[in-house]
Amino acid sequence: MSAPEEQQREELSAPEEQQREELNAFLGPSKYRDELRQTARLLIAPGKGLLACDEPPHVLPGRMKMCWSDPKECTEAWRIKYRELMFTTEGLGAYVSGIILHEETCSQTMARKGCPDKVPQLLESMGIIPGVKLDQGFSDMPGSTCGDWRTAGLDGLRERCAAYRALGLRFAKWRAPLKIDGSEAAVNAEADALACYARVCQDEGLVPIVEPDVVIEGDHGVAAAACATKRALVRTFAAMDARGVDVRGSLLKTNMVRCGPGHACAERCDLVASATVQVFADALPSSLPGVVFLSGGMSEAFATNALAAINRDPNRKLCPYPLTFSYGRALQHCFRVAWEGKSANEAAAQAALLACARRNSEASLGKTPEGRAASTDSLHVAGGNRY
């Protein structure tokens, strides 16, 4: 190519490059765009998932009655000891990419000798990305005639996001619980709140995990769950698009498509897998970095086996993004049972957590989980998990 031709090409490429930058700015308006997309990819790295450890102080003791004899024992120091014991499990970072913290935990100082001062730095030293739950629970929606819920937490959100980024947090989560038979108004309101939260997070440098959670209660069949889940997902991503949220810098956390616990037929992993994959294929954008599932009261065994079935489903190829775990009770229960709040059981508790995380890692890759069989005890909490 001659020098004049090369110069002409360079001159023509300048406006093209400007248009490219304008397009990128439109699709990813946050100044943290590249960092957010990279963090999202790291959070759903192959064979990894999230540990949801975001129960508030007043809820955690009720989930761990096997670990104390008197409610007065459940002090802040006790909560620090519990969470520190989990976080310092050697090798956990091989299977867990990030941990969702409660706001209380984010600025706590760990008590164990030799630990970094704050939880975010402790997690980073173990190769785990720290995140925080930013919704502030839910209550009954005013004026609703069918018992809809309304999630709180948008007031002051921008300032909270900036503060948590300064502490070292790199992602956030907002859960919006929805009823199977909820109203259109409730679905639209919660979808818009999720979108508002997501945009604020990205503006302040946090990867938003949006969590429209169709609460699996009642005697409904899988078709009703599929309808409600698809509606929630479609509305959520439409609202995110309207708010200018960068899909490639966000993640989805949601429920598997399941029949209610009161349904006449026994729940089957293969049916859950088929229904979930088909709904996602129809409802989700292909540019989404990945999906992490909530355990939603499933037993440890069912949560793991259903995840494996989803990743082995014949239609799995219709969902071109990772499908992995973001479990709370289904990861922590085995740890709690093994620990019992006793110093002598600390090693056994950490071993139980590591084994459970490894089984779910294998399931996220479509493999048959190996090792000790997980508990089949239901971890369901009635009432939509009110926190």
Side-chain angles (χ1 to χ4, degrees):
M1 181 182 295
S2 66
E5 288 175 330
E6 196 170 284
Q7 183 180 359
Q8 185 180 25
R9 181 177 177 180
E10 289 177 358
E11 290 172 354
L12 288 174
S13 67
E16 291 174 358
E17 186 62 28
Q18 181 179 352
Q19 290 186 71
R20 194 181 300 274
E21 284 302 314
E22 290 174 354
L23 173 63
N24 289 337
F26 168 73
L27 295 175
S30 170
K31 65 181 180 180
Y32 301 101
R33 178 187 66 215
D34 294 341
E35 177 192 328
L36 295 174
R37 292 178 178 181
Q38 173 65 8
T39 300
R41 288 191 294 267
L42 291 173
L43 287 170
I44 45 79
K48 292 190 177 185
L50 306 181
L51 167 60
C53 189
D54 54 351
E55 304 96 332
H58 71 279
V59 168
L60 188 61
R63 301 284 170 84
M64 299 179 62
K65 293 182 179 179
M66 73 289 285
C67 296
W68 52 267
S69 55
D70 187 334
K72 294 179 181 178
E73 298 174 22
C74 306
T75 61
E76 182 180 5
W78 178 85
R79 295 192 296 274
I80 289 175
K81 181 178 180 181
Y82 165 64
R83 285 172 167 146
E84 182 185 46
L85 187 59
M86 277 197 300
F87 299 162
T88 56
T89 299
E90 187 174 352
L92 186 62
Y95 312 114
V96 171
S97 58
I99 294 180
I100 305 170
L101 306 170
H102 184 266
E103 291 186 271
E104 176 195 53
T105 315
C106 295
S107 58
Q108 284 177 330
T109 299
M110 295 288 95
R112 183 168 296 183
K113 198 172 182 179
C115 280
D117 287 342
K118 302 295 182 183
V119 173
Q121 288 68 47
L122 167 64
L123 296 181
E124 285 182 353
S125 72
M126 300 182 64
I128 296 173
I129 303 171
V132 59
K133 179 178 95 81
L134 287 179
D135 70 85
Q136 296 181 327
F138 65 94
S139 58
D140 294 337
M141 179 175 284
S144 172
T145 58
C146 52
D148 289 317
W149 297 312
R150 178 183 181 183
T151 308
L154 289 177
D155 291 344
L157 180 62
R158 188 173 299 278
E159 293 75 18
R160 289 160 61 211
C161 286
Y164 285 121
R165 179 172 171 90
L167 281 175
L169 284 297
R170 288 298 175 262
F171 73 97
K173 186 202 82 164
W174 179 290
R175 174 178 179 251
L178 298 164
K179 294 196 170 185
I180 287 279
D181 56 353
S183 68
E184 293 288 321
V187 174
N188 291 336
E190 292 296 88
D192 191 55
L194 282 166
C196 289
Y197 141 83
R199 180 59 192 265
V200 171
C201 280
Q202 290 187 338
D203 287 348
E204 299 302 325
L206 299 178
V207 172
I209 297 181
V210 293
E211 184 181 354
D213 173 14
V214 177
V215 178
I216 306 301
E217 292 188 346
D219 59 0
H220 62 272
V222 72
C227 179
T229 301
K230 181 179 178 181
R231 178 179 65 162
L233 296 178
V234 168
R235 301 290 173 78
T236 296
F237 280 93
M240 288 169 63
D241 181 66
R243 294 279 180 178
V245 176
D246 178 17
V247 171
R248 287 184 283 173
S250 61
L251 294 174
L252 170 68
K253 177 171 180 175
T254 194
N255 55 282
M256 296 179 189
V257 179
R258 303 163 46 212
C259 61
H263 194 267
C265 296
E267 194 165 41
R268 294 173 53 89
C269 288
D270 56 351
L271 180 58
V272 170
S274 177
T276 301
V277 168
Q278 289 185 66
V279 167
F280 284 7
D282 287 348
L284 301 183
S286 60
S287 59
L288 183 66
V291 179
V292 292
F293 290 106
L294 56 91
S295 51
M298 293 182 284
S299 71
E300 288 179 326
F302 195 89
T304 302
N305 293 334
L307 179 61
I310 285 171
N311 280 292
R312 288 197 300 261
D313 188 80
N315 290 317
R316 172 68 178 84
K317 60 183 178 295
L318 298 176
C319 302
Y321 31 73
L323 301 173
T324 187
F325 61 93
S326 176
Y327 293 164
R329 282 162 281 168
L331 269 176
Q332 296 183 74
H333 182 68
C334 61
F335 179 95
R336 296 166 177 174
V337 171
W339 180 39
E340 294 183 329
K342 300 175 183 176
S343 298
N345 295 339
E346 289 182 358
Q350 290 183 329
L353 174 62
L354 191 65
C356 187
R358 183 177 62 249
R359 288 194 298 272
N360 284 291
S361 168
E362 293 164 347
S364 72
L365 298 172
K367 300 177 181 178
T368 301
E370 299 179 357
R372 180 186 65 83
S375 169
T376 58
D377 295 339
S378 172
L379 301 175
H380 179 71
V381 176
N385 227 12
R386 282 188 176 272
Y387 65 82

